[in-house]
Amino acid sequence: MKFVKVSESAFKEIQLEAGLILNQFDPNGETDVEDAHIVCATTGGININCKPTFTDYGSDIDNVPDNMLEFKEIDGWDCSLGFTALNASVAVIKMALCAADVEGNKITPRNDLKVEDAQDVWWVGERADGGFVACCLKNSLSTDGLSLKTTKKGKGQLSCTLTGHVSMSAQNVVPMEFYVQEGASE
């Protein structure tokens, strides 16, 4: 049974638990997370997607097979981070609304988007070896708006999908980065 096997490093590299949504994280520095940097408590896990979009210049050429590598070009990247928040805080509601102004306890959606509405958001999760896996979504904006679901004798759930955006000042930079930090070897 030579194909019924797992690598010796597989368990150490497994990502565990749901992880955290953070507004600040230094993947090369101190990994103790301060409460002020935790965006929200989540339920149902976190969905991270980083998908390229392509143009296939061979798609209309007779006798060229579909998806011929040499005829494909990456147009851009669809990068997103989706989660369901349990916190009904000013910060989470403002984030889910995308473009909003805050005055005291009042959050008002607005029709115009400002550059400062975009923010970098981090997801950080643990590895079995004590290390971490991290993802930074750059220039994120909520693209599905606010959706709050309540239930009798239950917790309200605020769904949020953030999409990373390319910046005019860095047009060739994909709006998502990943980091892997191995834990201490035993």
Side-chain angles (χ1 to χ4, degrees):
M1 300 194 93
K2 66 180 183 179
F3 298 113
V4 179
K5 185 178 181 177
V6 68
S7 71
E8 291 182 28
S9 65
F11 180 74
K12 294 188 296 186
E13 296 170 345
I14 291 175
Q15 190 278 310
L16 303 172
E17 300 295 335
L20 295 173
I21 305 292
L22 304 172
N23 58 24
Q24 184 176 329
F25 182 73
D26 180 0
N28 300 311
E30 180 62 45
T31 58
D32 288 336
V33 176
E34 296 180 26
D35 283 358
H37 297 159
I38 300 172
V39 172
C40 60
T42 60
T43 186
I46 286 91
N47 294 311
I48 297 169
N49 294 294
C50 187
K51 299 183 250 181
T53 56
F54 295 95
T55 295
D56 186 346
Y57 290 107
S59 65
D60 63 343
I61 301 174
D62 297 340
N63 301 319
V64 170
D66 289 343
N67 294 317
M68 184 170 281
L69 175 63
E70 291 79 4
F71 283 99
K72 289 191 101 167
E73 185 175 287
I74 294 177
D75 295 325
W77 291 82
D78 290 328
C79 300
S80 64
L81 193 149
F83 57 92
T84 301
L86 296 174
N87 303 48
S89 69
V90 170
V92 172
I93 291 171
K94 182 181 185 300
M95 177 186 282
L97 288 172
C98 178
D101 294 316
V102 176
E103 291 180 42
N105 66 350
K106 179 182 173 187
I107 307 116
T108 307
R110 73 177 121 70
N111 289 327
D112 58 317
L113 186 63
K114 298 178 181 177
V115 173
E116 54 269 15
D117 290 325
Q119 58 184 303
D120 292 353
V121 175
W122 289 83
W123 167 83
V124 182
E126 296 187 42
R127 283 178 27 139
D129 66 358
F132 65 83
V133 180
C135 172
C136 181
L137 183 64
K138 304 294 223 173
N139 302 311
S140 74
L141 294 170
S142 172
T143 50
D144 285 345
L146 184 143
S147 175
L148 176 62
K149 180 182 178 186
T150 64
T151 58
K152 181 179 179 178
K153 297 184 182 183
K155 297 179 272 305
Q157 297 184 2
L158 198 151
S159 298
C160 187
T161 300
L162 303 175
T163 300
H165 291 80
V166 174
S167 172
M168 195 176 290
S169 64
Q171 296 181 27
N172 291 321
V173 176
V174 176
M176 188 173 266
E177 301 171 340
F178 294 91
Y179 300 84
V180 176
Q181 178 65 52
E182 293 181 8
S185 299
E186 293 185 17

